């Protein structure tokens, strides 16, 4: 319709065609980039989202997995500029843009129980109202946040407590609060984009990193580290958003298609991840039997839990009243969704 030569149209015919154009939504091609491969959790979410959009509208969605358009920071810039309509960027990379998003890195704030987490992200006021407003100020329509699993540390030397992180250059996502966390844990935090992690471990520029279990297997990070340690200090959170101008320009019908697709893909990804960490850990053990796997007990966790108090104070210092309000709301939401 847009490319139709209107000069050829006259009178009633033109009016009828223009009306038809208004009534029948224009089929468009949208772009969605994310930070993982097509078969990793963000990719599985995106694939389901695409399926739902294409099933329920005439629009098509083109998916851009990790690396095809650059690092996480690059795809966020492209989404803010409107080159991409959708982007998945984890709060681990959003700290500079939206300081309050660092709240997800206050250690031991989020539970490890996946069922509790699933209810929390879906029902949380902090996420669905407060963060929505903060993302909107950056030209982004926050569609969903979802969990990707408990993070584990992988290191070259065993970790039984904070003292074992002394002098360990530990890669973190580019997030000031995560830097503070690992400082408080006793390590030397080294913020890097994902693309530099495998090589950094291989060449010993860094000696540790953290990520959910599925990612330790899919990215073969176990090849360049020897010990996996579960401290229970965090769950990986990610966020999917649309360019706000693009979203605002959609018809109500298309907005509903997008929202419904996000909600359906959320339920799908929560279900998809049931048992995933255990399955992927078994694959790591099979691929590298000498890899050690340690779940720290309460006593071994005590210094990480102690450090968490300082990190929480640091978060409030960094973000002021707005951060404190989000933190309090998040705690209330976690309590309300305990089940
Ligand atoms: O650690 C990271 O940078 C990456 N971790 C995950 C689980 N997803 C994407 C992100 O880039």
């Amino acid at each position: 319709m847009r490319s139709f030569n209107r000069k050829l149209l006259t009178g009633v015919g033109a009016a009828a065609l223009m009306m038809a154009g208004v009534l029948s939504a224009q089929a468009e091609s949208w772009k969605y980039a994310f930070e993982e491969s097509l078969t990793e959790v963000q990719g599985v979410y995106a694939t389901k989202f695409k399926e739902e959009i294409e099933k329920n509208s005439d629009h098509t969605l083109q998916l851009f997995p990790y690396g095809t358009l650059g690092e996480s920071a690059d795809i966020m810039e492209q989404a803010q500029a409107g080159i991409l309509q959708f982007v998945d960027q984890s709060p681990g990379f959003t700290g500079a843009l939206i300081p309050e998003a660092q709240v997800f890195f206050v250690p031991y704030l989020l539970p490890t129980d996946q069922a509790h987490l699933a209810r929390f992200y879906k029902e949380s006021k902090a996420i669905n109202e407060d963060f929505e407003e903060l993302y909107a100020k950056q030209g982004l329509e926050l569609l969903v946040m979802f969990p990707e699993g408990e993070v584990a540390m992988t290191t070259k030397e065993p970790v039984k407590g904070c003292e074992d992180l002394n002098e360990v250059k530990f890669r973190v996502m580019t997030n000031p609060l995560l830097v503070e966390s690992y400082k408080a844990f006793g390590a030397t935090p080294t913020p890097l984009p994902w693309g530099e992690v495998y090589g950094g471990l291989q060449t010993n520029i860094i000696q540790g990193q953290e990520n959910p279990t599925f990612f330790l297997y899919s990215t073969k990070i176990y090849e360049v580290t020897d010990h996996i340690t579960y401290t229970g200090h965090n769950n990986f959170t990610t966020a999917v958003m649309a360019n706000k101008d693009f979203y605002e320009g959609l018809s109500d019908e298309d907005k509903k298609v997008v929202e419904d697709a996000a909600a359906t893909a959320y339920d799908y990804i929560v279900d998809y991840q049931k048992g995933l960490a255990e399955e992927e850990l078994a694959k790591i053990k099979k691929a590298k039997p000498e890899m050690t796997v340690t779940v720290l007990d309460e006593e071994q966790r005590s210094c990480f839990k102690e450090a968490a108090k300082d990190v929480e104070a640091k978060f409030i210092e960094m973000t002021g009243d707005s951060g404190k309000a989000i933190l309090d709301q998040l705690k209330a939401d976690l309590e309300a969704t305990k089940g």
Side-chain angles (χ1 to χ4, degrees), residues 35-36 40 42 66 71-72 90 93 148 171-173 192-195 197 209-212 214-215 236 238:
E35 303 167 320
E36 296 173 7
E40 291 170 332
Q42 289 182 18
Y66 171 73
E71 285 285 353
S72 185
S90 304
F93 293 107
E148 293 199 49
R171 179 269 175 170
V172 291
M173 289 181 279
L192 287 174
W194 174 249
V197 180
Q209 67 88 44
E210 62 163 35
N211 255 308
F214 84 86
F215 206 64
F236 194 97
T238 199

Side-chain angles (χ1 to χ4, degrees), residues 35-36 42 88-94 101 103-105 110-111 117 120-121 127 131 135 142 144-151 173 210-212 234-240 330:
E35 303 167 320
E36 296 173 7
Q42 289 182 18
D88 185 326
Q89 187 185 62
S90 304
F93 293 107
T94 318
V103 75
F104 294 101
F105 297 93
L110 297 178
L117 280 167
F120 161 71
Y121 287 94
I127 291 176
F131 269 119
Y135 275 79
L142 179 64
V144 72
M145 284 193 183
F146 64 85
E148 293 199 49
E150 181 184 341
V151 298
M173 289 181 279
E210 62 163 35
N211 255 308
N234 209 1
N235 174 87
F236 194 97
T237 299
T238 199
V240 178
L330 221 125

Side-chain angles (χ1 to χ4, degrees), residues 27 86 153 233 287:
F86 299 98
M153 298 179 186
H233 72 279

Side-chain angles (χ1 to χ4, degrees), residues 80-98:
Q80 284 186 297
I83 299 165
L84 294 171
Q85 284 69 45
F86 299 98
V87 67
D88 185 326
Q89 187 185 62
S90 304
F93 293 107
T94 318
L97 198 63
I98 306 171

